[in-house]
C-alpha cells in the first residue's frame, strides 16, 4: 500500500527548466548557433553546472565570449520569461488529495534549499511538505538515489510504499535506484528525452486524479 508521495521540484512543480532553456536558446540564436534539446537535456534534473553552456557556445561559433556579460543577459531573459509562469496543472490537486488520503508528502530536489523553499513559499504550497531534501543534504545528487533515500527515511516509509513524481530521466533513474515507484510528468524540455524504467507517464497531473493513479499503481504491482 502506498504511504507517501515524493515530488521533484524544478520542471515538475514549477517549470523553471523550460524558461532556463529558452533564455539560453535566445542567446544562442543571437550568435547564429543552436542549443539542441538533447544536449541540454542531459544536465536536467542533476547538479547545476554539470554542463557549461558558454563553452558549448564557444565550440559552436569558434571563438570566446564574454561569460560575465552573457550570464547577466541570461538572468535578465530568464526573469522575463518566468514572470508569468504558474504552478503546473494538477500539482495542487495532488497535494490536497494526498493530504485527504493521509499520505505523507516529501520533496527531493537536486537544486539548493533557498531556491526550492523560496519558490514553494511564493507558490503558497510549502506547508504541504513534511520532509524536504536538497543538494546540501547529500554528497551526490540525482541520478544518485541518495536524495530519495534520505527523504524516505525522514518520512518513515519503505521505498516500495512510495511514489516519486519526476520530469527528467536523471530524476526517474534516481527514484528507481531508490526502489520506488516512479510517475513521470515531462515538460517541454524533457518530453522528448529517453526515459527507461518507469511505472506511469502523464502529460500533466490534471490528466488523472491521484486516487485513480494509486489504483493503477496497485493494479500494476499485482500483475
Amino acid at each position: 500500500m502506498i504511504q507517501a508521495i515524493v515530488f521533484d521540484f524544478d520542471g515538475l512543480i514549477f517549470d523553471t527548466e523550460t524558461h532556463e532553456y529558452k533564455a539560453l536558446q535566445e542567446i544562442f540564436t543571437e550568435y547564429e548557433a543552436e542549443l539542441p534539446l538533447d544536449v541540454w537535456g542531459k544536465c536536467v534534473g542533476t547538479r547545476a553546472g554539470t554542463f557549461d553552456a558558454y563553452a558549448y557556445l564557444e565550440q559552436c561559433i569558434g571563438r570566446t565570449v564574454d561569460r560575465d556579460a552573457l550570464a547577466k543577459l541570461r538572468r535578465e531573459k530568464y526573469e522575463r520569461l518566468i514572470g508569468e509562469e504558474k504552478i503546473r496543472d494538477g500539482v495542487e490537486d495532488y497535494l490536497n488529495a494526498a493530504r485527504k488520503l493521509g499520505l505523507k508528502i516529501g520533496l527531493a530536489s537536486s537544486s539548493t534549499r533557498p531556491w526550492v523553499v523560496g519558490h514553494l513559499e511564493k507558490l503558497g504550497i510549502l506547508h504541504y511538505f513534511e520532509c524536504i531534501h536538497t543538494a546540501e543534504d547529500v554528497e551526490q545528487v540525482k541520478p544518485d538515489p541518495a536524495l530519495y533515500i534520505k527523504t524516505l527515511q525522514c518520512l518513515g516509509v519503505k521505498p516500495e510504499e512510495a511514489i516519486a513524481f519526476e520530469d527528467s530521466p536523471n530524476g526517474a533513474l534516481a527514484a528507481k535506484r531508490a526502489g520506488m515507484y516512479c510517475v513521470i510528468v515531462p515538460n517541454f524540455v524533457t518530453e522528448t528525452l529517453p526515459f527507461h524504467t518507469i511505472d506511469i507517464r502523464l502529460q500533466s497531473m490534471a490528466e488523472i486524479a491521484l486516487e485513480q493513479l494509486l489504483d493503477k499503481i496497485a493494479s500494476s504491482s499485482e500483475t
Side-chain angles (χ1 to χ4, degrees):
M1 182 182 292
I2 299 300
Q3 302 290 331
I5 58 175
V6 183
F7 290 79
D8 175 47
F9 176 69
D10 288 288
L12 179 86
I13 290 177
F14 190 60
D15 194 4
T16 57
E17 291 169 354
T18 293
H19 298 298
E20 186 176 5
Y21 171 73
K22 288 183 176 180
L24 275 171
Q25 185 66 293
E26 284 187 9
I27 291 173
F28 272 68
T29 299
E30 290 169 8
Y31 281 86
E32 298 184 346
E34 183 179 0
L35 177 59
L37 272 173
D38 60 342
V39 172
W40 175 249
K42 293 175 183 178
C43 71
V44 174
T46 188
R47 191 180 298 276
T50 56
F51 173 72
D52 188 335
Y54 306 126
Y56 186 80
L57 175 59
E58 289 174 339
Q59 179 184 331
C60 290
I61 64 177
R63 58 188 173 86
T64 59
V65 297
D66 184 338
R67 295 186 175 214
D68 290 338
L70 287 187
K72 181 176 182 294
L73 180 61
R74 176 181 176 179
R75 286 193 298 272
E76 291 171 352
K77 289 179 177 292
Y78 172 80
E79 292 298 332
R80 171 177 55 80
L81 290 166
I82 202 69
E84 299 300 319
E85 187 67 25
K86 298 178 181 179
I87 191 169
R88 286 191 69 189
D89 289 346
V91 171
E92 198 155 7
D93 291 336
Y94 269 38
L95 292 171
N96 279 317
R99 177 170 283 183
K100 290 177 181 177
L101 292 168
L103 300 178
K104 297 180 178 180
I105 306 174
L107 187 147
S109 170
S110 295
S111 295
T112 64
R113 182 171 296 275
W115 173 266
V116 172
V117 171
H119 278 299
L120 293 176
E121 287 178 335
K122 289 178 182 177
L123 294 170
I125 59 172
L126 177 62
H127 62 283
Y128 284 104
F129 298 96
E130 300 173 44
C131 294
I132 296 174
H133 283 90
T134 54
E136 297 90 334
D137 299 315
V138 293
E139 292 184 8
Q140 297 293 328
V141 296
K142 303 169 188 177
D144 189 277
L147 279 165
Y148 277 117
I149 291 171
K150 277 186 170 289
T151 304
L152 293 174
Q153 290 171 343
C154 175
L155 294 172
V157 299
K158 299 175 182 177
E160 62 271 21
E161 297 174 333
I163 302 173
F165 288 89
E166 276 287 351
D167 68 291
S168 73
N170 281 319
L173 183 56
K176 297 309 290 185
R177 283 175 172 173
M180 305 169 68
Y181 292 101
C182 182
V183 175
I184 62 162
V185 193
N187 55 55
F188 170 79
V189 169
T190 60
E191 63 184 358
T192 60
L193 300 179
F195 287 84
H196 300 290
T197 305
I198 57 169
D199 295 286
I200 294 175
R201 179 178 182 130
L202 302 175
Q203 292 301 310
S204 83
M205 293 181 207
E207 180 181 329
I208 180 175
L210 179 60
E211 294 88 342
Q212 294 175 283
L213 181 71
L214 295 175
D215 288 342
K216 291 184 70 170
I217 292 288
S219 298
S220 68
S221 66
E222 293 170 359
T223 58

